[in-house]
Every structure is written in structure tokens, then in C-alpha cells.
């Protein structure tokens, strides 16, 4: 009996892509739906913004750390089996999150959700490539990529509608029927995708050291806002653990270069080093601001949770507008000037939020968000493409896992840093609208400054010079 092949017939490739997308709908929505629920969760669980930011941070941190594991697993486990088990994990995380009555339980649920998403999202791209056998990838990636962009844009609006009609628990309960239907569809129709059983084996020490590094640093940031003073054991212990894990990883990668998850040789390439730094920093620009904006619209502009979600749509539209052209422009002139332009647009369009108050004109803010979206949309694609410039073919899979990990972990840092800034600003202050507005203004100002600092690594991205005829 003939086993299933790695790729189905050409006529069913688009159907396979559609099936893969159905399975990822809930994880893609959840990547931003929780942002709109932060205010409701803070009030419901009687906790602080700094604690609730872990609902967002833990999700993207777990997602980022698990991405390299997905890159390994797809070579050793059938694609169908990997996808199904990841969806089951997302189901479990959604149930725990929905049932949560404490912030600790909710964070545990979000970690499980994030880990599952860290397998699902990158697996889609890999399986599409295998299904198509390398043909018509531009068209197929655009088919798969569109919902990957649209779902996070629609997430806050859909989440706002759910919370307004029900409560925040339902942004997690809603995943349950979606995942169950997806599991049935995937079980029946998704091809097997036999693994090639080649490539690096999973390096557990690398995963452990990266987990300690990034978790330690983020814990230090959040504990700093709790203790107010830097020289406190609650800050220094996680900071020390994070730095120790970094030193140990460098030593480990030098001694065992073939085992290490991210080879130090990758950083010998100027563009990869610059792209990695930019991906970490872009998380503050994009995800950090996405954490702040729903809170700002609800707490300062006094918008309902639905309208707070709707107000975020212009930024998503701006991202879509530039996404269609930014790849072509990058191919023509290189990444440097595209990214620098995007950074400047994002910084300038965020500036009004550093001065905005309760009476600031809403059309000004909506216009700024639309322009901001066009700037942010010029970040990821040029940076990701430039990370491969100058690399050898055998380094590309490793670079792919590394850049995806840096991008998601940067998002975790973004939420943690800006929540810490806000908490510091409100320490000892009466939570009036004026004081809250001042705290948001300062957090947005930090976002602008960090965005502008990104101009330094952006200068080291590639630039293409065309010879005059």
C-alpha cells in the first residue's frame, strides 16, 4: 500500500492551504485579542497593569522560545501529527485561561497558548512550501499571509465585541468551538506530510539557556517597577540569572558550535546582526504600543471596549497598505532606506500620543494611527529579508528560527518595558485622568525614543546601488 506523499496533487494545494489557515484562526486572533481585554482583566481580578501585562508578555515570550522547537519538530514528526497536537495544546490553554479566577492561573493558560501558537504559526509556512514542492510560492504565501495579517488586525475589534456582550473570559472560551471544528477538519483532510528526518537534533541546553536569559531579563524589568529601586534583590536576582544564561550560552556555542541552536557564526554577518537587534527593538515599537493603545482609549478617551478595538483598525489598514509594496521596494533599493523611512514615520506619527489628553481631537489620533501603520508596515519584511543577506544556504534554516524567536521575544520586552514605565509614573500619584494621561504620555515618549535608537542598527542594513547606464 502506497503511503501518503509529502505533497498532495497540484489541484488540492490551495485547499490544503485553506485547511491549514482554518487551524490557525484562533491562535492568530488570540495574538492581539488579549490586548483589548487588559483593562477588563485588571478590574475583574483586582490586580495592577504591571501584573496584567504578563497576560500579553507570557504569550509572546512562550511563542518566541518555542519557535525553534517547531523548526526542529517538523523534520522529525509528521506535519499532521505536529499540527494536531499543537492545536490540542492551544485548546487546553484556552480552557485554563477562560476558567481563570486568578492572574497566576490566567498567565499559566497563556503560556500554554503561546507555546502551542509557537508551533502552529511557523509550521504553516513550512507545510505550504512542502505541499507546493517549491512552485508558485509567491501566490500561495500571499493566500496564507493575508489572514495572518488580517486576523491580528481584527483581533481587538472582535475581542471588544465579545467582552462588551459577555465578559473577558469569553475571548478564550470562543476558541473552544473553533479549535474543535478545526481538529475535525484537519484530522479528515490534512495530508500527512512525512518528515525528512534530517537536520539538527533538538538542543535542550540551548532552549533552557534562552528561556533563562529572556525570562530573567523580563522579570528584572517588571520587578524593577514593583520595588522602585534598581539595587533590590528582587531585581538583581532575575537580572543576574539572565546575564549568566547569556554568558553560558556564548561559552556553550563556542565549545559546541554544531549543537547550539543559534550559531555565533551568524552574527559575523553584519546584516544578520543588525536585523536581529532591529527585530528585538521592533517589538517595543509595535507590540508595546499595541499594549498601550487600547488602555489609552478606554481610560483616557473613555471609549467602550468595542470602540477601543475599532479605533485600532486604521493602524492595521496602514500596515496593509505598505505591505503590498514594501517587498518590491526593498528588492530594488535594499533594506536600509526602507527601514529608516519606516522608523521615522512611526516615530513622528506616535509623537501626538506623547502629548495627547482627554480632549485631544479623535480624528488627529486616528489619522496618526493610519500613518503610523504605514511606518510600522515597513519594518518586518525588509528586516526579515535582509537577515539572510550574506548567509550560506546551510545557515538559512537556523537564521529563520533565530529571527522569528527574536521578533516575538522583542514583543514580550515591549509590553514589559512600557508597562513598567507607566507603573513608575503612577507610583505615589492619585489615579486621576490628568495623572493617568501623563503616565501614558511618558510611556509613548519612551516608545518614540527607543524607535529612534533603532536608526543606529538600521544603518547597517543592505543598500543596493544601481550602475548608471
Amino acid at each position: 500500500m502506497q503511503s501518503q506523499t509529502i505533497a498532495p496533487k497540484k489541484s488540492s494545494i490551495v485547499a490544503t492551504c485553506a485547511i491549514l489557515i482554518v487551524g490557525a484562526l484562533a491562535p492568530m486572533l488570540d495574538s492581539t485579542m488579549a490586548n483589548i481585554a487588559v483593562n477588563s482583566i485588571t478590574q475583574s481580578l483586582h490586580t495592577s497593569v504591571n501584573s496584567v501585562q504578563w497576560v500579553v508578555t507570557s504569550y509572546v515570550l512562550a511563542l518566541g522560545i518555542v519557535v525553534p522547537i517547531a523548526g526542529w519538530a517538523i523534520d522529525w514528526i509528521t506535519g499532521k501529527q505536529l499540527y494536531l497536537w499543537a492545536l490540542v495544546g492551544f485548546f487546553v490553554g484556552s480552557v485554563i485561561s477562560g476558567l481563570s479566577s486568578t492572574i497566576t492561573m490566567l498567565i499559566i493558560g497563556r503560556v500554554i497558548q503561546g507555546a502551542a501558537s509557537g508551533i502552529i504559526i511557523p509550521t504553516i509556512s513550512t507545510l505550504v512550501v512542502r505541499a507546493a514542492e517549491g512552485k508558485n510560492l509567491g501566490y500561495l504565501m500571499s493566500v496564507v499571509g493575508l489572514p495572518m495579517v488580517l486576523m491580528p488586525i481584527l483581533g481587538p475589534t472582535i475581542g471588544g465585541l465579545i467582552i462588551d456582550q459577555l465578559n473577558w473570559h469569553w475571548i478564550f472560551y470562543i476558541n473552544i468551538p473553533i479549535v474543535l471544528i478545526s481538529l475535525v477538519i484537519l484530522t479528515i483532510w490534512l495530508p500527512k506530510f512525512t518528515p525528512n528526518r534530517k537536520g539538527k537534533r533538538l538542543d535542550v541546553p540551548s532552549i533552557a539557556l534562552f528561556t533563562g536569559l529572556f525570562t530573567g531579563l523580563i522579570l528584572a524589568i517588571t520587578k524593577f517597577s514593583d520595588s522602585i529601586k534598581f539595587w533590590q534583590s528582587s531585581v538583581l536576582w532575575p537580572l543576574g540569572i539572565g546575564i549568566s544564561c547569556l554568558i553560558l550560552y556564548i561559552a556553550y556555542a563556542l565549545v559546541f558550535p554544531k549543537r547550539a541552536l543559534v550559531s555565533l557564526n551568524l552574527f559575523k554577518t553584519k546584516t544578520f546582526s543588525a536585523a536581529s537587534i532591529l527585530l528585538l527593538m521592533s517589538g517595543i515599537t509595535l507590540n508595546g504600543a499595541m499594549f498601550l493603545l487600547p488602555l489609552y482609549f478606554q481610560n483616557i478617551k473613555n471609549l467602550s471596549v468595542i470602540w477601543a478595538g475599532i479605533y485600532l483598525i486604521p493602524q492595521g489598514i496602514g500596515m496593509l497598505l505598505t505591505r503590498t509594496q514594501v517587498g518590491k521596494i526593498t528588492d530594488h533599493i535594499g533594506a536600509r532606506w526602507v527601514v529608516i523611512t519606516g522608523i521615522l514615520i512611526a516615530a513622528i506619527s506616535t509623537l501626538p500620543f506623547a502629548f495627547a489628553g482627554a480632549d485631544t481631537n479623535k480624528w488627529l489620533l486616528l489619522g496618526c494611527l493610519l500613518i503610523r501603520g504605514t511606518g510600522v508596515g515597513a519594518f518586518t519584511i525588509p528586516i526579515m529579508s535582509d537577515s539572510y543577506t550574506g548567509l550560506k544556504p546551510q545557515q538559512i534554516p537556523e537564521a529563520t528560527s533565530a529571527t522569528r524567536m527574536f521578533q516575538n521575544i522583542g514583543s514580550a520586552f515591549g509590553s514589559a518595558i512600557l508597562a513598567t514605565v507607566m507603573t513608575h509614573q503612577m507610583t505615589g500619584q492619585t489615579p486621576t485622568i490628568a495623572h493617568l494621561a501623563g503616565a501614558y504620555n511618558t510611556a509613548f515618549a519612551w516608545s518614540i525614543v527607543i524607535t529612534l535608537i533603532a536608526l543606529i542598527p538600521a544603518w547597517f542594513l543592505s543598500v543596493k546601488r544601481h550602475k548608471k547606464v
Side-chain angles (χ1 to χ4, degrees), residues 447-460:
S447 174
I448 293 166
V449 170
I450 294 169
T451 301
L452 290 173
I453 292 171
L455 288 169
I456 298 171
W459 184 257
F460 295 95

Side-chain angles (χ1 to χ4, degrees), residues 365-408:
L365 298 180
L366 290 172
C368 287
L369 284 177
L370 178 66
I371 297 168
R372 188 177 190 279
T374 64
V376 171
F379 279 15
T380 308
I381 293 175
I383 295 169
M384 292 290 276
S385 64
D386 218 42
S387 64
Y388 300 115
T389 303
L391 295 182
K392 297 174 183 177
Q394 62 267 30
Q395 292 178 303
I396 288 175
E398 198 174 351
T400 301
S401 293
T403 51
R404 283 176 173 166
M405 180 175 66
F406 291 146
Q407 183 182 11
N408 287 287

